């Protein structure tokens, strides 16, 4: 479980989703931002960083979530949560993670997590879960979002589900519901202790 | 407004989307363009949205044709715009000059990416600041606005149309890739609450009309094609009838008037914002996404007990020299200008500061936005008197 400092009225959380172009980091980050911004009422900024290729190449997307009225700097500097969907992404960014933060690793692609990381590493075969439990590799980003809800204690499952359903193509709602649930359940098995109640102040 | 309606108006919106929505709210009804990263969303959105507002969208063969088309549409009375990035902006320069001399209201959006040439299409830069100022030839005036958030992208797009209509000038909206692609939660203003300007139109009898005779504000009412008055439009220097003239007196009067009409309106069209300037010993002058990194750096400096302030420029051309001078309080010791280029607007800041304090440029040209700490370090060096006029490398 990620240890978020501050309360609902004094909160600043930075999330980075990184991997290979085509895995859906950008859409995943938009959905995460909408869950936090529209459904949970936080101030949010979402940014992205990718190359000219539409698939392949490094891809990174970031969300800054704050209880302030304004977010000054729009990019992530020290991520509370890193979602690493490729070995390169893990190697490049795991060292940036905040002490007490977390890394969610797609074990389908990230085989070596020996590199030192200040946060807790949760290894989860995200892409395999998408393929085997949901039936579509394409849903890996939504599986990842389910896992994000499980480790990031500021967005309710309902809010995330609403945000997912508002963004996915018509006719794929059930598949995406299933993907979100699969990611959430898988990460819950990894997370020790019970999920802290949302209104509870969380200490580092 | 009840809570329900308010929630419906809250949206996660991209900077480019805010430009498209701002254009519609300002009354834009014609778009011609050639899509290019990182501006393509503007074309994509307006291709879907404009027809629903009774407007027209054309994907052109290139950027030369794009400006030509919006000039033509504007001459018939339609508020018109195009959007591009550096490579396309270069191609637009010739017709931009035409719009400037012939006094045709248009809005050109340039979402800046790393150049020169094809450069890095998806990476941010502020390398086109001087291209916006001097890209087209001749001694022309120019108006350019630079938003630093999604909300400002909406507001400044509306403002760009208003200024272009009021002054009959092309207005350039300079975003950078970070602002164009970032998404923020915004509450769109009620369309009825916006101030929207319309160009002055020629009136009176058709015979004897002088379509380029200015009013006291330096702006001639516009004779629109197809609406009764005859008008000749040319890129040659012209007299008040609109016909070519190269008489020395006319030439001098024309180019001076084109500058004067903007100069007279300068205070009204200059948009800046100050944070913590009153007691500032170090003043950071910034625009675009760089202003966001600078704001964090200024806040971090204040937490360390350093008296730092920020002057954020939203109008960058005409350069707001008076605002820069006014931002220098009695305690100012240093001025810092971070830019995602090797030093473009900093020269204008130096000119305005005119020796009152050392001005230090900070450059970042790696295709990434500044990190706040990169600006903070220079602020810390400045208060410790460790910086001079040399360019600081931000990466």
């Amino acid at each position: 479980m990620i240890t978020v400092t501050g309360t609902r009225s004094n909160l600043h959380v930075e999330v980075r989703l990184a991997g290979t172009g085509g895995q859906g980091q950008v859409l995943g980050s938009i959905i995460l931002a909408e869950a936090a911004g529209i459904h949970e009422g936080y101030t949010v900024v979402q940014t992205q960083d990718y190359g000219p290729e539409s698939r392949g190449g490094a891809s990174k997307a970031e969300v800054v979530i704050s209880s302030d009225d304004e977010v000054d700097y729009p990019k992530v500097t020290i991520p509370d949560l890193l979602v690493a969907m490729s070995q390169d992404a893990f190697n490049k960014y795991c060292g940036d993670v905040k002490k007490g933060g977390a890394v969610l690793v797609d074990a389908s692609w990230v085989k070596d997590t020996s590199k030192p990381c200040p946060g807790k590493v949760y290894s989860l075969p995200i892409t395999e879960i998408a393929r085997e439990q949901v039936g579509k590799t394409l849903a890996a980003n939504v599986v990842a979002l389910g896992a994000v809800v499980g480790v990031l204690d500021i967005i309710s499952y309902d809010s995330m589900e609403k945000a997912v359903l508002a963004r996915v193509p018509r006719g794929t709602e059930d598949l995406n519901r299933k993907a979100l649930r699969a990611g959430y359940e898988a990460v819950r098995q990894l997370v020790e202790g019970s999920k802290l109640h949302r209104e509870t102040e969380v200490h580092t | 407004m009840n809570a329900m309606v308010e929630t419906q108006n809250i949206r996660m919106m991209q900077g480019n989307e805010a430009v498209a929505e701002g254009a519609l709210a300002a009354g834009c009804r014609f778009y011609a363009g050639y899509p290019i990263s990182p501006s393509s969303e503007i074309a994509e959105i307006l291709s879907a949205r404009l027809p629903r507002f009774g407007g027209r969208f054309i994907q052109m063969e290139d950027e030369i044709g794009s400006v030509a088309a919006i000039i033509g549409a504007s001459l018939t009375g339609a508020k018109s715009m195009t959007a591009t990035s550096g490579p396309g902006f270069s191609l637009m320069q010739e017709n931009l000059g035409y719009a400037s001399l012939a006094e045709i209201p248009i809005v050109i959006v340039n979402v800046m990416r790393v150049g020169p040439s094809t450069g890095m299409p998806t990476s941010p830069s502020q390398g086109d600041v001087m291209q916006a100022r001097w890209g087209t030839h001749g001694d022309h005036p120019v108006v350019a606005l630079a938003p630093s958030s999604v909300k400002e992208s909406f507001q400044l797009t509306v403002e760009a149309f208003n200024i272009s209509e009021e002054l009959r000038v092309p207005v350039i909206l300079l975003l950078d890739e970070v602002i164009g692609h970032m998404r923020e939660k915004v509450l769109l203003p009620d369309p009825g609450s916006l101030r929207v300007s319309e160009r002055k139109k020629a009136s009176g009898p058709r015979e004897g009309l002088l379509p380029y005779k200015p009013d006291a504000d330096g702006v001639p009412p516009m004779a629109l094609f197809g609406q009764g008055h005859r008008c000749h439009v040319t890129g040659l220097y012209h007299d008040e009838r609109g016909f070519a003239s190269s008489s020395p007196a006319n030439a001098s009067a024309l180019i001076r008037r084109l500058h004067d009409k903007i100069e007279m309106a300068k205070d009204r069209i200059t948009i800046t914002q100050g944070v913590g300037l009153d007691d500032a010993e170090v003043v950071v002058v910034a625009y675009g996404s760089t202003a966001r990194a600078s704001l964090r750096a200024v806040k971090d400096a204040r937490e360390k007990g350093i008296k730092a302030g920020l002057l954020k420029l939203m109008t960058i051309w005409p350069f707001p020299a008076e605002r820069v001078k006014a931002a220098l309080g009695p305690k100012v010791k240093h001025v810092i200008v971070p830019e995602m280029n090797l030093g473009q607007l900093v020269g204008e800041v130096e000119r305005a500061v005119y020796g009152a304090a050392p001005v230090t440029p900070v450059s970042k040209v790696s295709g990434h936005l500044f990190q706040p700490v990169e600006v903070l370090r220079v602020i810390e060096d400045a208060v410790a008197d460790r910086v001079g006029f040399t360019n600081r490398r931000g990466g």
Side-chain angles (χ1 to χ4, degrees), chain A residues 82-101:
Chain A
L82 167 68
V83 182
M85 303 275 285
S86 74
Q87 186 70 54
D88 283 350
F90 179 83
N91 295 348
K92 195 168 173 188
Y93 301 122
C94 69
D96 296 349
V97 172
K98 194 186 207 168
K99 205 176 160 199

Side-chain angles (χ1 to χ4, degrees), chain B residues 9 16 21 57 66 76 99 108 136 141 153 187 204 293 330 334 341 346 370:
Chain B
N9 283 342
N16 283 341
E21 293 300 328
F57 175 96
S66 300
T76 71
I108 296 178
T136 195
S153 297
L187 175 61
H334 287 276
N341 57 48
V346 63
F370 275 98

